[in-house]
Amino acid sequence: SANVPYKKAKKYLAVKGAQIQDIKKYVDSGLSPLKAVLQVSYPGIDSSKKDSRSYTIENPEDTLILIKNGFSVPSDYVPKDLRDVNIPYETEVGQLRDEAATALEKMYKDGLKQGYSIAIKSSYRSYDTQLAVYNEYFAMYDAAYAASLVSIPGSSEHQCGLSVDLTSQSVEQNAYKYGFILRFPENTGDRTGATNEPWHFRYVGKEAAKEIHDKGWILEDYIEHHGFTYNLRLN
């Protein structure tokens, strides 16, 4: 850590995700500790910024993880509390982590009362399933285009059991009340790195979902404002 005295380094190291080899750059940046860590080590939070680094998320069970190209979870990660979701599904039984499943069941029941019917198109996907989907696209299109349509294995929200593709988008304006956000809204693709997916909802919990909704943010904005709630390992 290039001879930075511990007293000076301490406040940067206290930030989740701080990378020891970047300490000198943090200090030299003159930015607040959180801003320094995010700007120096994680420009790739915003996919429109070139970043040669990639990271592994050390706490994949954190409901606020930013998982995308450059930020992946281990290939053998399977959420411990996955369960079947008790709402209709199109082809296969939907599975989500317990907290997300409970929230979606409530959203479904409340929706029915208002005349909306939602069903699950896709939910939890293992690394291997994601790999098969990716390879299918990869065979049809060039790599860059394939990666904009389907997440690289290990960097898909579906592996975390927090995301669901729904058949009906009529729930969008109320989803935040249940802890879900529309993850890839229109005109945000340069920053999310994904094409507009009006069917893809991500569970982040009620508090974060409300803030993201009220401020017109995407998850990337939330992370750039609040930082990470977990650690990341440089690959």
Side-chain angles (χ1 to χ4, degrees):
S1 55
N3 308 327
V4 176
Y6 179 70
K7 223 174 109 179
K8 237 183 181 169
K10 192 164 67 165
K11 58 182 182 182
Y12 300 98
L13 290 171
V15 176
K16 290 270 192 199
Q19 299 294 326
I20 226 146
Q21 68 275 21
D22 291 337
I23 288 287
K24 182 146 174 29
K25 286 184 184 157
Y26 298 157
V27 175
D28 293 348
S29 74
L31 296 165
S32 71
L34 177 62
K35 278 215 162 70
V37 170
L38 295 180
Q39 287 185 23
V40 170
S41 302
Y42 302 99
I45 289 171
D46 179 339
S47 293
S48 67
K49 297 186 177 136
K50 284 279 165 276
D51 189 1
S52 57
R53 290 182 178 188
S54 69
Y55 292 94
T56 299
I57 294 162
E58 301 227 295
N59 315 74
E61 58 293 327
D62 191 304
T63 46
L64 284 169
I65 61 169
L66 178 73
I67 173 168
K68 60 192 288 185
N69 201 359
F71 297 88
S72 59
V73 296
S75 57
D76 60 356
Y77 173 65
V78 178
K80 289 183 190 68
D81 57 349
L82 272 182
R83 68 169 177 86
D84 292 356
V85 187
N86 194 14
I87 81 165
Y89 52 91
E90 236 179 26
T91 46
E92 62 210 53
V93 179
Q95 286 198 315
L96 289 172
R97 288 182 53 191
D98 184 53
E99 195 181 320
T102 302
L104 188 60
E105 287 161 351
K106 180 149 179 33
M107 186 158 93
Y108 169 72
K109 283 195 191 118
D110 291 351
L112 282 183
K113 291 175 205 154
Q114 293 166 27
Y116 302 129
S117 182
I118 58 174
I120 292 175
K121 257 200 296 217
S122 176
S123 52
Y124 169 72
R125 253 183 251 145
S126 68
Y127 180 90
D128 292 341
T129 305
Q130 186 68 22
L131 182 61
V133 174
Y134 182 73
N135 286 342
E136 220 171 278
Y137 277 84
F138 201 85
M140 290 189 285
Y141 308 109
D142 74 83
Y145 187 57
S148 77
L149 296 174
V150 58
S151 299
I152 291 164
S155 65
S156 166
E157 290 196 331
H158 286 286
Q159 191 185 335
C160 294
L162 296 171
S163 283
V164 62
D165 295 344
L166 298 175
T167 54
S168 163
Q169 283 104 63
S170 52
V171 294
E172 191 199 316
Q173 70 252 36
N174 287 314
Y176 76 93
K177 294 174 185 166
Y178 302 89
F180 287 92
I181 57 169
L182 182 65
R183 180 64 184 94
F184 306 115
E186 253 181 310
N187 307 320
T188 60
D190 55 333
R191 298 182 57 219
T192 64
T195 40
N196 172 28
E197 293 189 10
W199 53 83
H200 179 115
F201 289 86
R202 157 70 190 270
Y203 183 78
V204 289
K206 283 186 186 172
E207 205 180 314
K210 185 177 184 332
E211 186 175 6
I212 289 167
H213 172 269
D214 292 352
K215 293 185 172 162
W217 280 354
I218 51 178
L219 185 56
E220 282 75 3
D221 293 308
Y222 183 90
I223 300 292
E224 284 176 350
H225 186 85
H226 292 287
F228 299 109
T229 46
Y230 49 90
N231 286 310
L232 299 106
R233 188 175 73 248
L234 182 61
N235 294 336

